[in-house]
Amino acid sequence: MSILLAAIGLFFILLVYDLNQRKHAILRNFPILGHFRYLFEAVGPELRQYIVTSNTEERPFSREQRSWIYASSKRENNYSGFGTDRELELSPNYLVIKHSAFPLNSPRPGDPDYDPQYRLPSAKMLGGYRKRKKAFRPDSVVNISGMSFGSLSPNAVEALNRGAKLAGCLQSTGEGGISPYHKRGGDLVWQIGTGYFGCRDAAGRFSMERFLETVASSQVRAIEIKLSQGAKPGLGGVLPAAKVTPEIAAIRGVRVGKDCISPSSHTAFRDVDSMLDFVEKLADATGLPVGIKSAVGDQDFWGDLAYQLANTGRSVDFITIDGGEGGTGAAPLVFTDHVALPFKQGFSRVFREFAAAGLDDRIVFVGSGKLGLPESALFAFALGCDMVNVGREALMSIGCIQAQRCHTGHCPSGVATQNRWLMHGLDPQLKSARCANYVITLRKELQQLSRACGMDHPSRVSGDHLEILDGHFAAKTVRELFAYGPRNTFNSEQVGSGAFQGH
């Protein structure tokens, strides 16, 4: 009996501890039971041969990728031991980064130019070519991708915004409007989708009056017009009725408890010509840089856009390309799996279009779609990106465990849910530090990779620095594979002195 009472007492102590600690959302939401998740995670490597998947097989993110993100966010050891477990020579489409015989040294603690934040500013000014009144050089080439309040919990949005402030990066709002949780000090890119949430009239059409009110009340640094996203391109979004709380309804300007539907197409413009008019109207009214976000499908659109930019004097300030492998809270399986080109194919086609027209130095190119790991991000820069956005990787840094329950409203880590019990386990202040740690670590490793190639900034890395193995003892450079010419030199007006110093 005494043993039983002792066991009950221990369980009670553990229950109280789990409910009151703030480090682990899983334990706070699922006291006692949550420890089994960490136990299985801890013994996974030792039992690898007895379980179904290896370190590299899981999708969309493998165990080793998640482990790197988790360790980086907690400032733990993110190294690996005993060498690679990849079959390098026999792996098709395997990336090899070609280091220089004379790499650049990275500053170390104690050096006068050492920066613990590993600040890495953009090589180009956002809005610089069109000389927008509020043009600026982003302080970070790594920024947080668009994920809406509604799809994400208020705690998750707040953690990301606080993390953006700590890391000195930008946070895209997603198309769900600007919530109070986006106003915790982090700079914003306000994403405007087809629903015009936060800037719509009673009929659901764009309202300039509401738009200007929202800009004036928030820390908005740029405007991003969303044409489509990689996870559900050509399809409007749906926030299920169960997630449309009074707070979300007020922010979005929709009815409580009703499905919140974003149409597939914009009503404020109908083609490239009218879209550019809309872009210039927003830029003139605010002085802010204005860009577009899109997945890549119909190539004629990009050709028409490049032609209009070259011949009409109007221009977007940045283009965000989302790969078909991009993620979302919920989408029809067929759209997730089969609509829109993957990032590398899609981005390279768009970039070639603008480079051929001599426009690539006028526009800031942003990539998104599983680019939150160092080698993936460097690949994006080699293709022509000036910045990368990270989405699901940022969510993992604040506690996401890839449960893939985003579409149900029952996310166990409190990230993609409006359930009060589940979200209470996610402490925004603690998780914001982990988000910042992750972004800073990604910047650090991007700098290290660039310096290993002999370059002082990832925007200096070209397709000649990367090779792709074909699995048959042959390889081609990225420049050859994607039919790129020599990387264009940067316009001196775009790249100021010190832009490539890395801090």
Side-chain angles (χ1 to χ4, degrees), residues 295-316:
V296 179
D298 174 25
Q299 191 66 23
D300 289 343
F301 165 78
W302 300 104
D304 190 7
L305 180 60
Y307 176 83
Q308 296 265 8
L309 266 56
N311 293 281
T312 67
R314 300 166 298 168
S315 181
V316 294

Side-chain angles (χ1 to χ4, degrees), residues 267-312:
T267 56
F269 52 86
R270 63 186 181 281
D271 53 22
V272 171
D273 185 56
S274 55
M275 182 189 77
L276 288 175
D277 284 341
F278 186 64
V279 165
E280 295 293 346
K281 181 169 71 171
L282 300 188
D284 289 344
T286 62
L288 294 169
V290 181
I292 59 172
K293 174 180 179 175
S294 181
V296 179
D298 174 25
Q299 191 66 23
D300 289 343
F301 165 78
W302 300 104
D304 190 7
L305 180 60
Y307 176 83
Q308 296 265 8
L309 266 56
N311 293 281
T312 67

Side-chain angles (χ1 to χ4, degrees), residues 32-84:
I32 300 178
L33 291 176
H35 287 277
F36 288 99
R37 182 257 176 185
Y38 294 102
L39 174 65
F40 293 143
E41 181 183 52
V43 301
E46 289 77 9
L47 299 177
R48 183 184 309 143
Q49 62 267 45
Y50 301 112
I51 58 179
V52 175
T53 57
S54 73
N55 279 341
T56 61
E57 286 179 336
E58 289 180 89
R59 296 291 183 270
F61 292 90
S62 68
R63 183 184 299 111
E64 70 174 13
Q65 291 171 332
R66 298 198 311 274
S67 296
W68 180 86
I69 294 170
Y70 294 146
S72 298
S73 70
K74 299 173 186 176
R75 301 185 70 178
E76 295 176 351
N77 185 347
N78 63 6
Y79 282 30
S80 63
F82 213 62
T84 181

Side-chain angles (χ1 to χ4, degrees), residues 39-351:
L39 174 65
F40 293 143
E41 181 183 52
V43 301
E46 289 77 9
L47 299 177
R48 183 184 309 143
Q49 62 267 45
Y50 301 112
I51 58 179
V52 175
T53 57
S54 73
N55 279 341
T56 61
E57 286 179 336
E58 289 180 89
R59 296 291 183 270
F61 292 90
S62 68
R63 183 184 299 111
E64 70 174 13
Q65 291 171 332
R66 298 198 311 274
S67 296
W68 180 86
I69 294 170
Y70 294 146
S72 298
S73 70
K74 299 173 186 176
R75 301 185 70 178
E76 295 176 351
N77 185 347
N78 63 6
Y79 282 30
S80 63
F82 213 62
T84 181
D85 55 4
R86 306 292 184 93
E87 287 283 358
L88 304 188
E89 293 175 332
L90 302 179
S91 299
N93 298 326
Y94 190 83
L95 171 66
V96 173
I97 298 166
K98 298 161 65 175
H99 68 284
S100 170
F102 306 101
L104 303 180
N105 290 322
S106 296
R108 297 181 179 276
D111 293 346
D113 54 350
Y114 172 72
D115 174 20
Q117 290 273 333
Y118 293 93
R119 282 178 281 260
L120 195 57
S122 168
K124 293 179 185 173
M125 294 283 291
L126 205 58
Y129 173 73
R130 291 286 291 144
K131 295 182 172 56
R132 307 298 188 196
K133 292 178 182 178
K134 296 181 181 178
F136 69 103
R137 187 189 306 279
D139 291 329
S140 176
V141 297
V142 177
N143 299 289
I144 298 172
S145 193
M147 296 175 285
S148 301
F149 172 52
S151 176
L152 300 188
S153 70
N155 294 25
V157 173
E158 180 175 343
L160 293 175
N161 190 255
R162 289 183 182 273
K165 180 182 179 181
L166 292 171
C169 69
L170 300 165
Q171 179 194 17
S172 173
T173 63
E175 68 170 313
I178 300 178
S179 71
Y181 313 101
H182 287 104
K183 300 178 181 181
R184 298 296 190 259
D187 287 340
L188 299 175
V189 176
W190 181 16
Q191 187 183 97
I192 298 175
T194 56
Y196 305 115
F197 301 125
C199 57
R200 60 189 270 148
D201 61 18
R205 294 182 172 271
F206 176 78
S207 165
M208 179 61 79
E209 180 181 2
R210 289 281 292 115
F211 169 74
L212 293 175
E213 287 174 359
T214 302
V215 168
S217 67
S218 309
Q219 206 161 318
V220 176
R221 301 298 305 277
I223 304 294
E224 181 177 77
I225 300 167
K226 190 183 93 166
L227 303 181
S228 62
Q229 68 182 83
K232 45 187 176 185
L235 186 70
V238 177
L239 188 66
K243 280 190 170 185
V244 184
T245 64
E247 183 179 33
I248 290 170
I251 291 166
R252 295 196 176 201
V254 297
R255 296 175 62 188
V256 178
K258 300 289 185 181
D259 286 345
C260 179
I261 299 174
S262 304
S264 298
S265 299
H266 280 268
T267 56
F269 52 86
R270 63 186 181 281
D271 53 22
V272 171
D273 185 56
S274 55
M275 182 189 77
L276 288 175
D277 284 341
F278 186 64
V279 165
E280 295 293 346
K281 181 169 71 171
L282 300 188
D284 289 344
T286 62
L288 294 169
V290 181
I292 59 172
K293 174 180 179 175
S294 181
V296 179
D298 174 25
Q299 191 66 23
D300 289 343
F301 165 78
W302 300 104
D304 190 7
L305 180 60
Y307 176 83
Q308 296 265 8
L309 266 56
N311 293 281
T312 67
R314 300 166 298 168
S315 181
V316 294
D317 296 301
F318 63 96
I319 294 175
T320 302
I321 296 297
D322 201 10
E325 62 272 60
T328 185
L333 183 63
V334 67
F335 278 81
T336 299
D337 286 352
H338 294 289
V339 184
L341 288 168
F343 172 77
K344 297 180 183 70
Q345 288 92 330
F347 182 88
S348 59
R349 293 186 190 185
V350 171
F351 187 82

